[in-house]
Each structure stands twice: as C-alpha cells, then as structure tokens.
Amino acid sequence: MKPMMKKTLAILSLSSLLTTGAAYAATTDAVIPDMHAKQRGSSEGITVKEATKNVQSTGVITSIRTTGDNAQIQIQDTGTGGIVLNVSPETTYQMLNGTKLTLADLHVGLTITAEHSMAMTLSLPPQTSTSKITVLDTAAHKGALGTSGIIEAVREDGSLLVKGQGLTEDAPGEVVLTVGTDTAIVDGKGIPIDKSALVKGANVIGFYGPMMTKSLPPISNAWKIVVEAEQE
C-alpha cells in the first residue's frame, strides 16, 4: 500500500473515532427510563438530573386510592386536574411541627406540601414519585367526606346547595353545606380566599361530616371549601 493511501486511511479512521466519541458524549445526559413511570404504564423517560431532583407542591387532598402500602394521592383538583402523588413504604409523613404521621392519618380535605420528583408522567393528571408529605392543617377531621360540584343556590342563612358528585364512598352528590366562622375557604393550593367567592354557579369542593342530617338533600357543617379556578 502506498504511503499516501495509508496516511489517508489513518486520517479517516481517526475522524470516525472522534465522531463516535462526540456522539457518545452527547448522550451522557440522555433520557433514562423512570422505573416508577414504567410501573404506571408510562414509557416516558427522564434525565438523570430530573430523576434525582426534588421539588415541592402544595394543595388540598381530593382523593386517596390505597393499594397495600402504596397509594395515589390527588391534590389541587379533581378529575384530570391537579397532581397525583405516588407514595410508597419509603414515603415519610409529618405535621408541620415535625410530629410523625402515617399514610392512614391522611384524608380528603387536608392541605399538604409534598416533596416529589421533578419528573412527571404526561398523563392527565400528571403523576410523580413522592418522598415526603407534610400536613399543614393543625387538626385532622377523621371520616371527612367530600363533594365536588356547582353551587346551585346560596340560601338566606348563608348555607350552600352543592350539586355534583361525591368524592368519597359515603358522600352524596347533592348536599347543603353550612358555612361558619371556622370554615376555611381556599383555592386548590390551600391559599385562603375571600368568602365572597361563594356565589351561585361557582365550582367548589366541599369537605364536611361525617355527621349529616337525614333530610334530602342532607345538611352538614363544612370545615373546608375549595373554590376551583374558572375554566378558560
């Protein structure tokens, strides 16, 4: 083989190696499978940085679906809105003052702050792995019920007729909620808003009970009412 041809082949081989190396380097931050996402039936990937970075989200619990030591906790909204927090036996729970809690201590209506993965599925609502949950309410309301719907009427005594659907097993789809001075009125993230937002036609999520009258519709004292943002 002639010297010039050998030199040309050597240059081409070196160029090929450099190109391959550059391509490999470009993939060092490529997406890797999210094992939690796979368990949820998602094939979406996340970057290494996203897999290890945690962020915080705050909201009112609207649903808890438990399977053994695992659970899906939806906050901020119902249906396809809000965020679903996937919790496992490794997830920790506490009050704002540091008092330890368990998954069994959580119920609908509580306002929580969740520390969770930056990575989320593309589902609606998005789902994410959660490492820590802090309850912001100072008191629990065991057996709390929830109804999501529209305020059909604001009665003279200030009580609200809400028609929609029950969020918990024993919750009616239609309920009259009395609003007292202790009733918390907030948005989906638990931020207090003015009582003037409770008007006919407003979309709300009422948390109450479990004590209700036997009337139709039943009447109960609301301890928290979430006023949902208007759909654009």
Side-chain angles (χ1 to χ4, degrees):
M1 185 179 293
K2 294 182 180 181
M4 181 61 71
M5 184 176 293
K6 288 183 178 179
K7 184 176 181 180
T8 301
L9 290 173
I11 292 173
L12 290 173
S13 297
L14 178 60
S15 175
S16 176
L17 287 172
L18 290 173
T19 301
T20 303
Y24 176 79
T27 64
T28 56
D29 196 32
V31 295
I32 63 173
D34 176 2
M35 299 309 294
H36 293 283
K38 281 188 174 182
Q39 293 173 2
R40 297 187 294 271
S42 171
S43 60
E44 295 301 323
I46 60 172
T47 67
V48 174
K49 291 180 180 179
E50 288 173 332
T52 57
K53 184 176 180 180
N54 281 347
V55 294
Q56 288 187 338
S57 294
T58 299
V60 178
I61 297 176
T62 60
S63 172
I64 301 177
R65 295 181 292 275
T66 305
T67 305
D69 293 329
N70 301 301
Q72 292 183 313
I73 302 173
Q74 188 169 356
I75 62 172
Q76 299 180 354
D77 205 344
T78 60
T80 58
I83 303 171
V84 171
L85 306 170
N86 289 309
V87 302
S88 69
E90 288 71 42
T91 305
T92 60
Y93 309 87
Q94 66 175 37
M95 299 288 289
L96 192 58
N97 62 6
T99 301
K100 299 299 182 182
L101 299 173
T102 67
L103 174 60
D105 293 316
L106 303 185
H107 60 74
V108 294
L110 288 176
T111 301
I112 63 172
T113 290
E115 190 171 301
H116 60 83
S117 170
M118 180 178 178
M120 294 188 181
T121 66
L122 296 178
S123 59
L124 291 176
Q127 300 182 28
T128 184
S129 301
T130 306
S131 58
K132 182 179 181 180
I133 288 179
T134 301
V135 175
L136 304 184
D137 290 83
T138 57
H141 296 262
K142 286 296 184 180
L145 305 177
T147 296
S148 174
I150 297 175
I151 297 178
E152 290 287 339
V154 179
R155 299 184 171 182
E156 292 184 1
D157 61 359
S159 61
L160 311 173
L161 173 59
V162 178
K163 289 185 179 181
Q165 62 178 2
L167 300 180
T168 48
E169 185 176 354
D170 299 324
E174 183 176 353
V175 63
V176 173
L177 301 176
T178 59
V179 181
T181 55
D182 294 332
T183 304
I185 303 170
V186 299
D187 64 11
K189 294 184 178 181
I191 300 174
I193 59 176
D194 194 78
K195 185 179 179 180
S196 60
L198 301 178
V199 296
K200 182 178 180 179
N203 292 299
V204 297
I205 308 172
F207 298 101
Y208 53 92
M211 300 298 294
M212 294 182 289
T213 65
K214 294 183 179 180
S215 60
L216 291 176
I219 303 172
S220 187
N221 297 320
W223 59 271
K224 184 177 288 185
I225 296 177
V226 175
V227 181
E228 297 181 279
E230 294 183 6
Q231 300 296 323
E232 294 183 357

